[in-house]
Amino acid sequence: MKKLLTLLLVIAMMATMVTGCGTKEADAPADGAALKIGVLIYKYDDTYISTVRQALEAEGAADADVELIMNDGQGDQAKQNDQLDILIEKKVDALIINIVDIGAAKSAIEKAQEAGIPVVFFNREPAEDVLKAYDKVRFVGTKPEEAGIIQGEMMAEVWNEGGYDRNGDNVLQYVMLKGDADNPEAIARTEYSISTLNEKGVETEELGLQVANWDTDKAYAAVEAWLGKDAEKIEFIVANNDGMASGAISALQNAGYNSGDEAKYIPVFGVDATEEAVNLIGKGEMTGTVKQDGAGMAKAVFALAKNAAQGKDFLEGLSYEYDETGVSVRIPYQAYK
Ligand code: CA
């Protein structure tokens, strides 16, 4: 009986402690959260990035210890630099940076280091030596070549189903929509999609390549121009992202393609598995995409930044692992068609 009473007393004490904690958290206003994490997004108006941003906001909203201070760089590095300065003045505990211009990462890191603030970069990847210049910097992203490899494997499968060799020369004639001239993701996707096709035994010929800056309208204009001169020759359209794939499909549809008539269908492949691309694939107007796990990315970015904000090791208590660089975490891709 005494033992039971002691036990009950202990339980009652624990309950009081837990309730005490809970009450304190519940009463704290959002801006009274213990940890402030400044978030710089390259631009809200990017389909894939907006899925990551929303998932990140959901992580923040679900964690009473963390306040995320969100910023839209609007694709403008000068604007993002100002936002960074303000976050540093606010003495945030950690920074999450989706940098506009990879070339600006070095100075952003120098500012963070001077203020002693840890940084988690994501999606747009600064060079390894730049990341390593400050020991409190990590990167969460994808493996640049993986999206290209998966896209190439998917294209080889579709090609081998037959019916797409319009001129019957046993060579795949394609046009390529490249995201950016210098971005490592764009370079790797462009290269590995085609080299994977070739490794799978598919001979290829590039009819055209356009740097369309990940942009739907620019891709539309490029495909419209290609259709104007080579409409009969194009067998596949390859895009580094779904935003450009969607522009390509609009241009195709405007010229009477990909609108239900099987004889007038040119396969289009993208990357990201945006909601729009998934819908287009569902309607049979687009062929395939490569899924970036936006929610998985946000979860990792948030967890690393929260650890760092508390002065812990970035990976403490987490199941992520660094790749061979020792500072980057890679979230895997999947095929979607
Ligand atoms: Ca051909």
Side-chain angles (χ1 to χ4, degrees):
M1 190 63 194
K2 250 185 190 170
K3 268 185 191 166
L4 185 66
L5 275 174
T6 314
L7 188 65
L8 282 171
L9 199 66
V10 169
I11 290 172
M13 277 169 63
M14 280 170 65
T16 313
M17 283 164 65
V18 170
T19 313
C21 277
T23 308
K24 195 178 161 201
E25 274 176 15
D27 286 346
D31 58 2
L35 303 168
K36 287 188 179 12
I37 300 179
V39 184
L40 298 171
I41 300 286
Y42 128 75
K43 64 172 179 178
Y44 282 17
D45 182 23
D46 174 293
T47 315
Y48 170 69
I49 290 302
S50 92
T51 65
V52 180
R53 171 178 64 84
Q54 284 160 10
L56 198 54
E57 285 172 340
E59 293 286 334
D63 190 328
D65 297 334
V66 175
E67 182 200 354
L68 296 180
I69 304 170
M70 305 296 297
N71 289 272
D72 179 4
Q74 296 173 10
D76 179 347
Q77 187 59 53
K79 187 181 285 278
Q80 192 174 62
N81 290 341
D82 292 343
Q83 293 169 340
L84 174 64
D85 291 342
I86 292 168
L87 290 173
I88 288 174
E89 273 172 35
K90 282 187 179 168
K91 298 188 169 33
V92 292
D93 300 292
L95 286 160
I96 292 174
I97 305 182
N98 174 214
I99 199 126
V100 174
D101 172 5
I102 291 163
K106 191 170 180 283
S107 79
I109 289 171
E110 284 166 2
K111 284 180 186 175
Q113 183 169 22
E114 205 171 300
I117 302 172
V119 187
V120 177
F121 282 90
F122 77 97
N123 170 256
R124 296 161 82 88
E125 184 170 7
E128 189 181 334
D129 60 327
V130 172
L131 288 174
K132 286 184 169 170
Y134 173 33
D135 65 351
K136 284 184 180 161
V137 176
R138 295 296 183 269
F139 175 73
V140 180
T142 45
K143 207 171 170 185
E145 60 270 30
E146 197 187 7
I149 292 168
I150 291 174
Q151 200 182 38
E153 286 170 352
M154 194 161 45
M155 291 195 290
E157 238 173 76
V158 172
W159 178 257
N160 289 332
E161 285 166 8
Y164 295 112
D165 189 10
R166 299 171 75 193
N167 63 352
D169 67 348
N170 211 24
V171 175
L172 168 48
Q173 276 82 19
Y174 69 90
V175 290
M176 174 71 72
L177 292 163
K178 191 172 181 177
D180 185 292
D182 308 315
N183 176 296
E185 292 276 343
I187 292 166
R189 288 178 192 179
T190 302
E191 182 186 333
Y192 282 89
S193 57
I194 303 307
S195 68
T196 302
L197 265 171
N198 298 151
E199 276 164 28
K200 297 260 169 200
V202 180
E203 213 181 308
T204 53
E205 182 192 352
E206 186 175 275
L207 298 177
L209 179 146
Q210 179 66 46
V211 173
N213 297 97
W214 310 107
D215 186 82
T216 303
D217 295 340
K218 286 191 176 121
Y220 179 97
V223 172
E224 189 176 48
W226 281 325
L227 287 171
K229 68 179 173 72
D230 275 337
E232 301 307 313
K233 294 186 192 161
I234 299 169
E235 292 169 343
F236 275 17
I237 298 178
V238 192
N240 285 169
N241 77 340
D242 286 340
M244 293 189 293
S246 128
I249 289 164
S250 302
L252 284 169
Q253 291 177 335
N254 195 37
Y257 290 87
N258 296 35
S259 307
D261 178 359
E262 266 188 51
K264 289 197 88 177
Y265 182 81
I266 298 177
V268 178
F269 299 87
V271 174
D272 288 340
T274 60
E275 201 180 328
E276 187 187 20
V278 167
N279 283 337
L280 288 168
I281 292 168
K283 287 191 285 183
E285 295 169 5
M286 176 169 167
T287 300
T289 184
V290 182
K291 189 171 186 244
Q292 283 210 53
D293 183 1
M297 171 85 66
K299 215 178 168 63
V301 166
F302 183 84
L304 265 72
K306 186 182 174 185
N307 268 343
Q310 292 171 298
K312 295 181 187 171
D313 184 82
F314 286 90
L315 293 190
E316 190 174 320
L318 305 176
S319 57
Y320 304 104
E321 283 173 12
Y322 294 126
D323 67 2
E324 66 282 355
T325 64
V327 291
S328 299
V329 170
R330 307 286 171 180
I331 307 297
Y333 284 101
Q334 296 158 320
Y336 185 96
K337 64 176 177 141

